[in-house]
């Protein structure tokens, strides 16, 4: 038998936050961005997920050369701390040019900004030492259907994917689907949409996905199936594990906090399909509760990582012989009872 997977964990600096929400100001003192990196290792994390401007703040004001120099500095800082950059994502949802979308904006000048910024994001990724960029297509959608030509929007998305693949012959694009928020309806809501775009592209092997539990739940889908679909196509670049209490705003709760059984099924799918054995990270995208006092608040990261590892134990002790016997007999009531008792640790 091969040795068990040793999981490596990652998160993004935005997961240590001040707790602001659309209805109120920050509730915790600012914890300096540069000081966050020293927290990773002691918490049990090796991978850092970045937005382009997490690596190089105010990047729009710099020349491409200045930007690469700064990103290289950050790359050395990471190396010195024993950390790895997992991916860099263009954070395009704050710029004035992206109010109505980036690649799908109706304005040519906005689309040009988005393409320039995408190239800079690839440059930053390469300079900081990673080969993946993430497209969370925040504003690629509409608030009203009549606002954009949807077929053209899909064509524009595919063009940018192809242009990016051509711009850098090694870069991978991981699409992070999400059905809504901030827009009313997003153009790439599910793994199926992302993977269709991948296969339609010039080099589908370099177009993958990152599946976030909460985003799948917001699409009223089971996150473990979304992950399995990507794994079946060898296209699960990463995951954003968290949880979501039904069809509400995007909550980014602790992994397993709303639905432990659904969390178990995500770990089951990942473990059974060898996720992590080729260096993939177990990525978290969790937010500390707004009501939590103190700074920096890190317990949500610690808890989510621990729950993942507890669930790995549950997966490894889940008796496949029992499962197979119940499947063969089509005795799903017995399978349900066994699964629930196993999760509860009772007989
Ligand atoms: C939004 C998200 C984003 C992405 C991040 C990296 C702010 O719902 O999940 O987090 O994960 O931009 O792609
Ligand atoms: Mg996410």
């Amino acid at each position: 038998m091969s040795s068990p997977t040793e999981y490596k964990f990652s998160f993004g600096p935005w997961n240590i936050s001040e707790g602001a929400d659309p209805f109120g100001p920050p509730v915790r003192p600012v914890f300096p961005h540069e000081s966050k990196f020293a927290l990773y290792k002691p918490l049990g994390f090796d991978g850092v997920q970045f937005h382009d401007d997490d690596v190089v703040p105010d990047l729009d004001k710099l020349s491409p050369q200045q930007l690469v120099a700064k990103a290289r500095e950050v790359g050395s800082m990471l190396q010195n701390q024993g950390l790895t950059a997992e991916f860099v994502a263009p954070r395009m949802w704050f710029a004035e040019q992206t109010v109505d979308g980036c690649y799908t904006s109706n304005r040519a000048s906005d689309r040009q900004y988005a393409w320039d910024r995408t190239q800079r994001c690839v440059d930053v990724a390469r300079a900081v030492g990673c080969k993946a960029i993430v497209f969370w297509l925040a504003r690629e959608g509409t608030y009203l259907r009549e606002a954009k030509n949807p077929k053209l929007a899909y064509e524009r998305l595919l063009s940018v994917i192809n242009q990016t693949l051509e711009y850098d012959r090694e870069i991978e694009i991981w699409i992070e689907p999400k059905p809504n928020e901030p827009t009313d309806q997003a153009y790439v809501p599910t793994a199926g949409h992302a993977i269709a775009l991948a296969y339609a592209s010039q080099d589908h092997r370099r177009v993958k996905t990152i599946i976030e539990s909460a985003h799948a739940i917001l699409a009223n889908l089971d996150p473990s199936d979304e992950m399995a679909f990507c794994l079946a196509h060898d296209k699960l670049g990463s995951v954003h594990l968290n949880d979501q209490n039904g069809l509400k705003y995007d909550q980014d709760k602790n992994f397993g906090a709303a639905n432990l059984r659904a969390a178990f099924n995500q770990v089951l799918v990942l473990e059974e399909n060898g996720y992590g054995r080729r260096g993939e990270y177990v990525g978290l995208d969790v937010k500390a509760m707004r009501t939590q006092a103190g700074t920096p608040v890190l317990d949500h990261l610690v808890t989510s990582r621990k729950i993942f590892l507890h669930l790995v134990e549950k997966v490894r002790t889940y008796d496949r012989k029992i499962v197979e016997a119940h499947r063969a007999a089509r005795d799903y009531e017995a399978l349900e009872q066994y699964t629930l008792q196993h999760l509860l640790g009772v007989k």
Side-chain angles (χ1 to χ4, degrees):
M1 233 181 72
S2 58
S3 57
T5 311
E6 276 189 41
Y7 289 103
K8 293 188 304 181
F9 296 86
S10 66
F11 69 89
W14 67 87
N15 288 139
I16 301 173
S17 77
E18 286 79 55
D21 73 14
F23 301 99
V27 291
R28 294 182 282 267
V30 173
F31 185 76
H33 173 75
E34 324 72 68
S35 310
K36 289 177 181 172
F37 304 104
L39 303 171
Y40 275 71
K41 281 278 181 184
L43 293 173
F45 291 81
D46 307 302
V48 184
Q49 308 174 350
F50 283 107
H51 292 117
D52 50 3
D53 57 359
D54 292 322
V55 184
V56 184
D58 288 329
L59 68 153
D60 281 341
K61 296 187 187 136
L62 305 180
S63 71
Q65 293 74 14
Q66 289 171 316
L67 181 116
V68 164
K70 182 82 190 80
R72 288 214 178 104
E73 271 173 40
V74 175
S76 315
M77 177 279 288
L78 293 176
Q79 225 173 5
N80 292 339
Q81 310 221 20
L83 298 171
T84 304
E86 184 190 9
F87 66 70
V88 180
R91 181 172 6 220
M92 287 205 277
W93 44 97
F94 281 107
E96 65 176 275
Q97 296 92 330
T98 63
V99 169
D100 194 21
C102 310
Y103 315 124
T104 68
S105 170
N106 287 326
R107 273 200 210 174
S109 56
D110 295 349
R111 295 197 301 277
Q112 186 60 46
Y113 170 81
W115 170 234
D116 290 342
R117 177 98 184 231
T118 303
Q119 294 169 78
R120 297 295 79 81
C121 180
V122 172
D123 298 345
V124 168
R126 301 307 299 262
V128 83
C130 73
K131 285 201 181 152
I133 63 168
V134 162
F135 281 175
W136 169 49
L137 300 162
R139 299 200 184 277
E140 312 301 358
T142 57
Y143 299 91
L144 70 166
R145 260 18 222 158
E146 301 81 5
K148 292 181 188 169
N149 175 335
K151 179 165 174 284
L152 184 57
Y154 283 113
E155 288 163 2
R156 285 178 167 157
L157 285 170
L158 182 58
S159 296
V160 158
I161 290 169
N162 282 331
Q163 279 170 242
T164 309
L165 293 171
E166 247 168 57
Y167 177 72
D168 185 305
R169 294 277 163 188
E170 286 179 55
I171 203 79
E172 291 192 0
I173 301 169
W174 300 347
I175 300 173
E176 182 174 341
K178 182 178 181 183
N180 62 285
E181 197 195 38
T183 58
D184 177 54
Q185 305 259 25
Y187 286 129
V188 184
T190 69
H193 292 76
I195 288 187
L197 280 167
Y199 283 126
S201 77
Q202 282 166 16
D203 185 359
H204 84 83
R205 288 161 308 168
R206 291 194 285 137
V207 185
K208 300 181 179 167
T209 62
I210 160 166
I211 297 299
E212 173 160 329
S213 325
H215 296 178
I217 297 165
L218 285 169
N220 213 4
L221 297 171
D222 191 300
S224 66
D225 286 343
E226 287 282 272
M227 289 171 192
F229 184 70
C230 298
L231 286 163
H233 293 272
D234 197 12
K235 290 201 173 297
L236 191 59
S238 190
V239 289
H240 263 174
L241 300 184
N242 59 16
D243 213 346
Q244 169 74 27
N245 192 13
L247 300 177
K248 298 188 170 77
Y249 64 96
D250 184 10
Q251 299 181 309
D252 298 337
K253 283 174 171 293
N254 286 322
F255 184 51
N259 189 337
L260 261 180
R261 186 179 184 180
F264 168 75
N265 279 304
Q266 290 167 66
V267 180
L268 183 66
V269 156
L270 294 175
E271 166 93 356
E272 285 200 327
N273 293 292
Y275 182 83
R277 296 183 86 85
R278 290 181 296 174
E280 302 95 333
Y281 282 91
V282 175
L284 302 179
D285 196 359
V286 288
K287 245 190 221 119
M289 284 174 255
R290 187 166 195 268
T291 45
Q292 180 65 30
T295 191
V297 174
L298 308 169
D299 284 348
H300 57 306
L301 297 159
V302 173
T303 303
S304 295
R305 179 179 174 278
K306 269 193 195 162
I307 295 302
F308 179 88
L309 290 170
H310 287 312
L311 289 171
V312 168
E313 273 320 296
K314 284 288 168 192
V315 165
R316 289 180 184 165
T317 52
Y318 190 50
D319 192 331
R320 305 305 199 280
K321 283 206 186 97
I322 297 180
V323 174
E324 283 311 323
H326 292 324
R327 282 182 181 178
R330 222 196 319 123
D331 192 352
Y332 296 146
E333 290 296 342
L335 181 57
E336 174 131 290
Q337 189 184 114
Y338 168 63
T339 303
L340 289 173
Q341 288 185 328
H342 179 69
L343 287 177
L344 285 166
V346 296
K347 284 212 192 308

